[in-house]
Amino acid sequence: MPRPLCATIHLDSMQHNLARARTCALDAKAWAVVKANAYGHGLERGMRGFAQADGLALIETENALSLRELGWTKPILLLEGIFDASDVPLLAEHNINSTVHSIEQIKMLEYTQLYRPIDVHLKMNTGMNRLGFRPDDYKAAYKRLRAIPGVRNITLMTHFANADELEHPRLSIAEQVQRFCAGSTGLEGERSLSNSAGVLHQAVLQAELHNDWVRPGIMLYGGTPGGGRTAHDFGLRPTMTLASEIIAIQDLVAGDTVGYGSRFEAPGPMQVGVVACGYADGYPRHAPHGTPVIVDGVRTTVVGRVSMDMMTVDLSPIRNARVGSKVTLWGDGLPIDEVASASGTIGYELMCALAPRVRVEEG
Ligand code: PLP
């Protein structure tokens, strides 16, 4: 008998969310970001769910090659630009566009014999201080890259640090856009700035964010990028439902404690349900008492510590709970962002942390 824990991936919701991104950024082409195993949904499923995207963006060259083997013919972008000289012919042969963010990479391209042209994204560091050339150095980097005969299209790119908070006191979107424009004026090439938060705020910041390509990730998976608005507010649908069942019920009396660390103490007689899902499945171990779950269609909460394979939930609000009662951990009817926020993390992390041992179905 299989363990009752299952993640259901909703491909129709992935399509819906991509369509939402397109209506927000009408004039832009869309890279659907499928890094981290399509945010835990599976790379191949990401490819099918986002078949209407203009391109797919991810991290590893090997996964880019897998996409080609799976039949993806549209553009592919490597977001981190991790490649060495031996990868360059592969990138060229399979038409994989890579981010270029350092002088070492430009030198390497200068010394590599390019038999076929390659397309690149040249990244500007407008304040995130992870990857890219500072605005003052950007034009020089562009010119060196432009002088390499095998380099074909150069897309100008940056990444927002605080797109979820338009008026961030330390670094606003407007400031990053202004640095990007200053560093790239006069340079030829398409432009790409916005992640999900940028896409969703396009309506507010229209003029500055309108550009040739957008790069939505989390919104395509029905998660909010933050900023105090929920995925539902943005018209997004959940794409992953994690569900299990009650596998045992315990009748407690006042003073009984539950689980490792005996962290929860029953205030009076009550029942707790033991659910087949634990931190080895990707459920956050630090989810505190009060984190929402749904049992038989009714909201209740986690009690006690989440253990490796099991967790315990309060059955007080549930009438006729039984072994076999359905439990939704997140997804349909229970936004992953609510579970994440109760656990002090973000929906991104929960999706990506889904463990390989969890059965995955489509539906
Ligand atoms: N673009 C780049 C360069 C990224 O690193 C990411 C993800 O971190 C994205 C786009 C997508 O971001 P989000 O999932 O917030 O839409």
Side-chain angles (χ1 to χ4, degrees):
M1 176 182 157
R3 202 158 163 250
L5 180 64
C6 181
T8 305
I9 305 298
H10 314 296
L11 290 182
D12 53 345
S13 298
M14 293 165 82
Q15 287 157 12
H16 166 89
N17 295 337
L18 176 62
R20 276 293 297 140
R22 287 202 180 280
T23 48
C24 294
L26 275 180
D27 302 329
K29 290 176 273 184
W31 294 107
V33 178
V34 293
K35 62 181 180 162
N37 200 26
Y39 288 46
H41 291 62
L43 184 61
E44 194 262 345
R45 262 180 231 107
M47 185 185 93
R48 283 189 285 127
F50 306 130
Q52 300 307 318
D54 298 292
L56 296 177
L58 75 180
I59 303 294
E60 303 88 353
T61 306
E62 64 193 272
N63 286 335
L65 295 174
S66 301
L67 286 174
R68 288 286 179 241
E69 275 167 30
L70 289 165
W72 181 261
T73 53
K74 290 189 262 185
I76 296 179
L77 169 62
L78 298 182
L79 287 166
E80 259 178 21
I82 299 177
F83 64 92
D84 62 20
S86 68
D87 295 320
V88 175
L90 275 178
L91 302 183
E93 184 189 341
H94 296 278
N95 194 17
I96 297 167
N97 195 320
S98 178
T99 301
V100 170
H101 55 80
S102 70
I103 200 67
E104 290 77 13
Q105 289 177 313
I106 293 184
K107 284 182 190 159
M108 185 226 297
L109 289 172
E110 285 171 340
Y111 285 102
T112 307
Q113 185 75 47
L114 289 168
Y115 294 103
R116 294 185 196 211
I118 59 163
D119 296 332
V120 296
H121 273 52
L122 182 62
K123 192 156 192 180
M124 192 192 297
N125 170 14
T126 52
M128 180 84 155
N129 286 312
R130 286 195 316 194
L131 300 177
F133 296 90
R134 294 179 80 89
D136 286 349
D137 303 324
Y138 193 74
K139 284 185 184 160
Y142 179 95
K143 280 190 189 128
R144 258 179 99 162
L145 204 47
R146 188 67 293 164
I148 302 173
V151 173
R152 192 171 47 192
N153 298 311
I154 305 177
T155 301
L156 317 179
M157 169 200 198
T158 195
H159 190 49
F160 295 133
N162 301 305
D164 55 330
E165 205 177 329
L166 301 185
E167 296 302 332
H168 194 282
R170 287 175 182 244
L171 185 63
S172 67
I173 282 200
E175 175 66 23
Q176 282 195 267
V177 171
Q178 199 236 318
R179 291 179 191 175
F180 181 75
C181 292
S184 64
T185 39
L187 300 183
E188 235 178 69
E190 293 189 311
R191 280 149 168 83
S192 175
L193 287 85
S194 289
N195 54 2
S196 295
V199 168
L200 291 166
H201 292 135
Q202 190 108 335
V204 185
L205 291 162
Q206 251 183 26
E208 295 92 332
L209 290 182
H210 262 205
N211 47 62
D212 304 287
W213 286 87
V214 290
R215 305 184 309 272
I218 193 70
M219 70 173 293
L220 303 182
Y221 304 96
T224 179
R229 293 184 66 195
T230 66
H232 185 262
D233 294 340
F234 289 123
L236 304 170
R237 295 187 192 152
T239 57
M240 178 195 287
T241 297
L242 183 65
S244 186
E245 292 180 3
I246 301 285
I247 58 167
I249 293 179
Q250 299 297 338
D251 292 299
L252 308 183
V253 297
D256 278 351
T257 58
V258 177
Y260 289 120
S262 305
R263 294 262 283 257
F264 175 77
E265 184 177 322
M270 66 180 286
Q271 284 191 321
V272 293
V274 181
V275 182
C277 180
Y279 62 77
D281 299 302
Y283 197 89
R285 179 177 178 273
H286 43 280
H289 173 81
T291 304
V293 293
I294 294 180
V295 178
D296 280 345
V298 177
R299 266 187 184 238
T300 181
T301 60
V302 171
V303 290
R305 255 194 194 147
V306 173
S307 48
M308 188 184 282
D309 313 298
M310 285 171 272
M311 52 193 277
T312 33
V313 298
D314 181 1
L315 293 181
S316 312
I318 321 295
R319 287 176 53 178
N320 305 323
R322 59 186 170 79
V323 168
S325 284
K326 300 286 173 224
V327 181
T328 303
L329 284 326
W330 63 64
D332 216 3
L334 178 57
I336 194 167
D337 296 312
E338 268 191 55
V339 179
S341 137
S343 313
T345 183
I346 49 177
Y348 297 71
E349 188 180 12
L350 297 190
M351 290 178 193
C352 294
L354 189 75
R357 76 175 188 177
V358 177
R359 190 159 43 90
V360 179
E361 290 177 356
E362 291 173 18

